[in-house]
Amino acid sequence: MLDFPVEWFDEIDSTNAEACRRVQSGQFDDVWIAAQAQSMGRGRLGREWKSPVGNLFATALFRFDGTMSDASKLPFVSALAVADVFDAFTENKIVSLKWPNDVQCDGSKLSGILIEGGLLESGSWVAVGIGINVSEAPEGLGRPTSCLAKLRGDNVVTPQIAFEELRQSFKHRFTEFANDFENTRQAWLQRADALGEQVAVSRGNENIEGVFEGVGKSGEMLLRLLNGELVAITAGDVELIKERTIT
Ligand code: BTN
């Protein structure tokens, strides 16, 4: 499973855009598309993803037999795979996950994950786009960033080395998920940031505050509101409230 070939590009507009072009052409093979640099890296919510040489940009494009509900669990699979890469190359660093798929260390963002997908005549396709800050920590995301080189204190791990680790960890985490999402959910919770803490969730124009109580069976964030109500959040940006008291 997921042993598909890799195509490396010196530079490309975006590995996710390339995946989408292949799907639109009506004919595509399951593939990892990897690049040394991107000229138009895509981030979430239409943002740019800065993509300098030295970082890793890769998209796993594959046919997916699961339902849309299954596809919505892929952010957890992907985040765990990226966290595994950081674990493999660092010591004594706590790499945590912010719901659903932000990988961070000491509050600094280490990677970005953008998952796109759609229906085919039979089944569906997904493009799991992963950017890993290997030797650079691009700024401008409105929050601190870091990279593998900073965590290690050297520049020994190249994007190619990081990619080979990612390929293996993604395969492992996807297989774990395909057996039972409960394994993924538990593994994710072990690395969860802000569990049991006050968080603010922005959903469109709405801001919701409450205690992050856990992740539900479908991956939804369970938030206990001040009035005691438990709500399930299925999308949104999560911000940890640190020095603010909720009254
Ligand atoms: C985010 O905004 O946090 C998600 C960023 C996702 C970036 C990766 S880099 C590889 C793939 N190709 C893209 O253009 N975007 C994703």
Side-chain angles (χ1 to χ4, degrees):
M1 197 191 285
L2 296 184
D3 271 327
F4 32 79
V6 186
E7 287 180 34
W8 270 101
F9 291 79
D10 289 342
E11 183 175 320
I12 196 166
D13 53 351
S14 149
T15 54
N16 267 39
E18 173 65 15
C20 294
R21 282 193 291 270
R22 290 182 187 204
V23 174
Q24 277 158 13
S25 77
Q27 213 184 17
F28 71 94
D29 294 320
D30 293 356
V31 66
W32 272 106
I33 302 163
Q36 314 248 33
Q38 299 184 126
S39 54
M40 287 176 61
R42 293 184 188 174
R44 290 179 55 243
L45 308 171
R47 295 180 194 132
E48 176 203 9
W49 183 255
K50 290 185 186 156
S51 307
V53 172
N55 285 350
L56 172 63
F57 316 101
T59 297
L61 168 64
F62 54 100
R63 287 177 171 75
F64 183 67
D65 287 337
T67 61
M68 278 298 140
S69 160
D70 292 330
S72 72
K73 293 165 186 154
L74 291 175
F76 300 89
V77 175
S78 314
L80 282 165
V82 171
D84 290 342
V85 172
F86 281 91
D87 273 4
F89 295 117
T90 58
E91 282 174 19
N92 307 319
K93 297 288 177 197
I94 297 175
V95 175
S96 65
L97 303 177
K98 197 175 93 166
W99 185 87
N101 64 3
D102 235 346
V103 181
Q104 54 184 26
C105 184
D106 289 332
S108 295
K109 187 170 162 83
L110 297 170
S111 86
I113 296 169
L114 180 67
I115 301 180
E116 303 183 68
L119 294 174
L120 296 168
E121 268 179 24
S122 144
S124 52
W125 63 274
V126 285
V128 178
I130 298 175
I132 295 185
N133 294 350
V134 178
S135 60
E136 301 274 333
E139 293 174 353
L141 294 174
R143 53 177 293 202
T145 52
S146 190
C147 63
L148 185 58
K150 278 192 185 160
L151 299 190
R152 285 176 56 85
D154 68 35
N155 230 331
V156 169
V157 180
T158 62
Q160 287 80 359
I161 295 172
F163 174 72
E164 283 311 318
E165 193 66 32
L166 175 67
R167 204 176 166 198
Q168 294 309 319
S169 62
F170 189 80
K171 182 176 159 183
H172 163 72
R173 292 297 183 180
F174 189 89
T175 307
E176 184 179 65
F177 154 71
N179 289 335
D180 189 352
F181 176 64
E182 185 56 19
N183 299 323
T184 309
R185 195 177 75 92
Q186 291 299 340
W188 191 95
L189 282 169
Q190 280 175 18
R191 285 187 179 270
D193 180 52
L195 200 57
E197 293 180 36
Q198 297 278 5
V199 296
V201 180
S202 56
R203 243 191 341 190
N205 292 333
E206 189 188 20
N207 274 315
I208 311 171
E209 295 184 357
V211 174
F212 176 25
E213 286 207 346
V215 169
K217 299 280 179 200
S218 301
E220 67 280 19
M221 172 189 241
L222 302 174
L223 200 64
R224 180 77 60 187
L225 305 187
L226 292 175
N227 65 8
E229 190 190 342
L230 190 66
V231 294
I233 308 281
T234 52
D237 278 326
V238 178
E239 179 199 334
L240 176 62
I241 297 175
K242 281 213 173 102
E243 279 147 23
R244 217 148 29 106
T245 314
I246 300 177
T247 50

